[in-house]
Structures are given as structure tokens and as C-alpha cells.
Amino acid sequence: MKKTAQPEYRFAYALMFINCFWMVLASNLFAQMPTINALFPAGGQVGATVDVSIQGANLDEAHTLIIEGEPGITGELFAAGGEIDTTHKELFEQTCTQCHELRSPSNRSMTPAQWEATVDRMINEKNAPISPEDRDKIVSYLKGAARASGGLIARLTIAPEAVIGSREIRVVGKHGASTAWPFEVGGQKEGIDTEPNNTMKEATAVELPLVINGLIGSGGDEDYFKFNAKVEHSRDGAGERYVFNIKAYRLNSASQQFFNPSMALFDAQGKELARSNGFYSLDALIDYT
């Protein structure tokens, strides 16, 4: 009996050793798995070219961009680093840093799209004395510097005939193909949230309909937008209907752990007209006439 039992015990130990070996191996493989944790902006309009910032883990030596889903989108991947074209740096410093505390891409974390939107807001809302020609030069410098210092950037070209809907983005690098992240193609005009707009006084002026791509800063963030509402008088006295829709949890279900969006609608005097809270698994939505 002892002789026949010994191999069984050794076999049991061998199984335990193999199981532990595979557990350690699986743990190491999981630790090295390339993942995408964020993609900004989260979508683009048909017919547009969009520079998208990609953040993640184990994306070393990324060399290929994979776009899965309906056809109509092509992409090019740019890795961080390299020399910055400083041809228009002096123009930026002379024009932009004298009037306000606009810091350069080397010490402020903003995507190329956010830099472009910031410059346009300074011109359109703050009446910054920048000519169209100088605007293009400044934007070119800022976007180039942001690409060099801001990690992976994908330039997505969306064809005018591209099918509206969601795609999946993956990056291939040293450790293989990454996890997928959604990118939405839409038919409406798109914009980028630009700071400061943390109070009603600083609200960003927008024209509807519009899709706004934004980021929530650490410790929470409040973003305000203002628009002119049209009231169409009729026999029943009904006005025009507006729908405001936050899409965050649906883009990244893990966001429910730290992001509970709340949205409110105010009139011109600051009176609250409607409010919607996310409650973890639901994105906020306001449907108001």
C-alpha cells in the first residue's frame, strides 16, 4: 500500500507545482499585457481628421494602429519624443504669454486638439489680436510640441462617407496587440472642452447641436457652457426641445468606480431648470423643452 501511494503523492505535488508555475506565468503575462486606459477625444465627425491622444500601459515601441469595425477610417501612429519644430516658438511666446498664464506644452498636459481649441477660444471669446496666419503658425507649434511630449498620438482620417457608429482602436507594440477602446464616429460638429470654464461667468459659448469632448480633472471638475435657446411660440405655447446627453460610463464601464456625472441646466439668471445625476451606472441625461 505504501509503495502504490508514494507515486500518487508525488504526482499530487507535481500538479501543485505545475499549477503554481502557471499561476506565476499568467501573473507575469497579465502584468505585461498592453492596455489602453484612455483615448481623447473619444470621437470625431465624418469628413474630419482628428489627432487622438492614447494613454495606457505596456505600449512600448508601438508601431501599428488597428481600427476594427465599419470601413471609412484610416490612421497613423506617432510615438512621443523626437525634435520639436521651434520655427514659430518665438511667435507663440511674444503673442500668447504676455496677456495670460498660458504655459507651453513642456509643462502643461494638454492634447494637440486641446491646444488648438484653446487658441481659438482666446481669439473668438477673448478677442486676442492674432491674425489667421499667425493663428495657424502658433497652433502648428503647439500641436507639434504636444505630440513630442504627450505620449502616443494617433491621427485618424474619417471619410465623409464613413458609417456613423462605434469603432474599436488597438495599438500593436513590443508586447503585442493592446486591449480595445471605443472611438465614435458621428454626424454632428465636434468641439473640445477648454479651460477655464469652472464657473458660470467663465462658461464657454457654444452653438448647438454640438458634441463636446472633455476630461475631468483630478479631484473633480465643473465645466460650464452657454448657448442661445430658441423659444418657438405656438398656440399651445410649446418651446423648442433640447436633449443633453453625457456619454462616459458607456465608453468606459470602469469609470463608475471614480466618476459619477451630474448635469444641470440653468436659465440666463442662474435659476436651475433641470438636473440629472448619474448614480454610478447611468450617464446623465436632460430632456427639456
Side-chain angles (χ1 to χ4, degrees), residues 216-263:
I216 296 297
S218 59
D221 189 12
E222 292 186 4
D223 295 320
Y224 287 84
F225 305 90
K226 59 185 178 182
F227 62 97
N228 292 321
K230 297 178 181 179
V231 179
E232 296 182 350
H233 295 286
S234 61
R235 290 181 179 180
D236 59 5
E240 192 169 37
R241 180 185 182 189
Y242 290 85
V243 178
F244 306 91
N245 177 20
I246 289 181
K247 184 170 285 188
Y249 174 75
R250 285 168 289 175
L251 294 176
N252 176 16
S253 58
S255 66
Q256 66 172 317
Q257 299 175 14
F258 53 85
F259 178 44
N260 305 320
S262 177
M263 179 166 53

Side-chain angles (χ1 to χ4, degrees), residues 142-245:
L142 289 173
K143 292 178 74 172
R147 292 189 195 101
S149 60
L152 283 177
I153 298 290
R155 177 167 295 168
L156 304 180
T157 302
I158 309 171
E161 66 276 9
V163 177
I164 292 176
S166 182
R167 310 295 196 275
E168 287 189 342
I169 304 294
R170 296 178 188 268
V171 172
V172 182
K174 176 182 178 181
H175 302 291
S178 73
T179 54
W181 195 270
F183 179 84
E184 294 205 331
V185 175
Q188 294 181 339
K189 181 180 178 182
E190 303 222 357
I192 300 292
D193 173 40
T194 58
E195 301 289 346
N197 62 348
N198 300 320
T199 65
M200 285 191 182
K201 278 189 174 182
E202 298 172 322
T204 303
V206 298
E207 292 184 8
L208 304 182
L210 177 68
V211 177
I212 300 172
N213 293 274
L215 297 170
I216 296 297
S218 59
D221 189 12
E222 292 186 4
D223 295 320
Y224 287 84
F225 305 90
K226 59 185 178 182
F227 62 97
N228 292 321
K230 297 178 181 179
V231 179
E232 296 182 350
H233 295 286
S234 61
R235 290 181 179 180
D236 59 5
E240 192 169 37
R241 180 185 182 189
Y242 290 85
V243 178
F244 306 91
N245 177 20

Side-chain angles (χ1 to χ4, degrees), residues 25-37:
L25 181 60
S27 176
N28 290 335
L29 289 173
F30 182 78
Q32 294 182 355
M33 180 183 294
T35 59
I36 295 179
N37 300 325

